[in-house]
Amino acid sequence: MQKESVSLRIPANRPLKHIVCYALAVITCLVGLSDMLSAFLPRFDWILQFGQWPAMLPHTQLRAQVLTVVVGFFLIMLSYGLARGKRHAWLISIFLLLLSAIFLHVLRGGSILATVSAMVLAILIACSVRFFQARSDPPSVLRGYAALVLSLGIVFFYAIGGFLALFDDLEPISRRIGFTGLIFRIFTRAHLHVPMSSPAFLFAPILRTLCICAVLYGMIQIFRPVAAAFLPAHTERRKARELAHLYGKNSIAYFALTEEKLYFFSSSGRAVISYVLEGSTAVVAGDPIGPETELPIIMREFVEFCNKQDWTVVFWQIRDELKRLYQTLGLHLIKIGEDAVINPQTFTLKGGAMANVRSSAKRAEKDNVHIDFYKGHLTDLEQLAQMEGISQRWLDEKGGTEMGFSMGHFDPTGDEELIYAVAVDDHNKVHAFVSFVPIYGRNGWGLDLMRRAEQPAPGTMELLLARSIEFIKNTGATMMSLGLAPLSDVNADDDTFLGSSIDFLSNRFGDPTKNQSLFNFKKKFHPAWESRFLVYSDALSLPKIGWALYRAHQDVSMLSVIRHSLKQWHMQRRLKRLEMLKATQTSAV
């Protein structure tokens, strides 16, 4: 009971954390803006009614005004880090608010109300420390602080050097209002009364631009999410493999063990989450792997871990049985399709329901097509060479890169855990082939690769799967997955509009016709349909999540995606024009 109560603590905290962080960020931004405006706008009568600190010496008051403008600008920049729950933003904001309240407003004879407001805000931010635990990327933090110091130093020397170089133009102004007043006018965009023909005319805007760029670059570096994670050690990989063989029930559990994956273990070490880091998004392959009692614990710990790293979280292809558990953690779900599952022990080609598959398979057999099975390594080198050619042609059509993350790729060296089924004829010509990966925790196998030659014998794919099911039945397996059918909704689960636009995550460029064709092919075998979902932490991050999922499955750049998309669009336009031309010629005849 104690573990259950701990796991259910997050739903209240996650929305509260967002509310507190965003509210304090907005207030801090407004305080920073009011500080900047108060330096060169007249005080309003209603503010003066709350009292005013005694006026200080003019030169002290002017310097305090300059610092108030700088502090206000920094507070505006810091509001972004506060909204993200950054610990560095929390520390710097408290320091600047106290500096503004205790010194700057007092020195410049500012409003007592402004001083009290800054003090109260600093206390509120300090008391909300538990909501500001997000770390920043350590190397980037060092670069950020170094950039701030170095850049502001360069700005300082530029200001001094520029003043000396333009002494004849700026000296009269400096003598009249003082050097501090000159700097204050530069940063408050006050008119310096310098002729446009003079080089001094550009001095002020260039100095302001340098300062803004220096602060922006430093802040961006300081608030960058943790951008690196260590690859697991050999012992961690072995432990993850052991857990996957015991508890890996998801159809893509096999891919949780591929070499690019990172691992997060529960505090007890009895459960593991397999993920890749794409930018600042942790993309999880399937469900957590471990005993059912450990799943709420590791999911809570992983979400907290990602929050501290300032990472967005997304789980890919989670099972319907765990849907409620993700929801109790405050995460959001989108249905992405259904997994076609059959029981090899009860599967049969007999009966009217399987007449289509049976007749297609017999047609392929009449063309002398039969199926060869390999466990692990392919021993027929002639078949292997043909399979490589088939895969290469398939890759060329798809853009030249193999899929990854939750999908396999053709490996000529083989994998001892896989099963290959190859459709060949009497001349040893390969017509098509499929591969199956183990589903450890359900004593089953999952369909992975499914590729065919340019002109295979009719009915080859039906024959391949029918004989594969019989072969897997003889291994004693009790379940077999035909893979995800993207955007299918046989189970009529609740879905959202966002779910209908997630297609590109399952198919490279979101071809609805191919998805429907794939669904219809799997439907021939009358499987049971198990719903699969995409789980994510933040709806505002969906575009970033979509790109992270795409990158996880295909290691490509944005430029190559745009180039390939334009190429496909151009090809489709050419085909349409040819079709229209043919139709015009036919009608003319």
Side-chain angles (χ1 to χ4, degrees), residues 232-245 257 263 265:
H234 178 70
T235 54
E236 292 177 320
R237 289 194 182 278
R238 186 175 68 248
K239 188 175 182 180
R241 184 172 294 278
E242 292 172 357
L243 289 171
H245 279 75
L257 304 177
Y263 297 122
F265 290 91

Side-chain angles (χ1 to χ4, degrees), residues 26-47:
V26 170
I27 296 172
T28 301
C29 182
L30 293 175
V31 168
L33 184 63
S34 66
D35 280 353
M36 292 185 70
L37 294 176
S38 68
F40 52 90
L41 286 182
R43 295 182 178 87
F44 299 105
D45 293 337
W46 65 271
I47 293 179

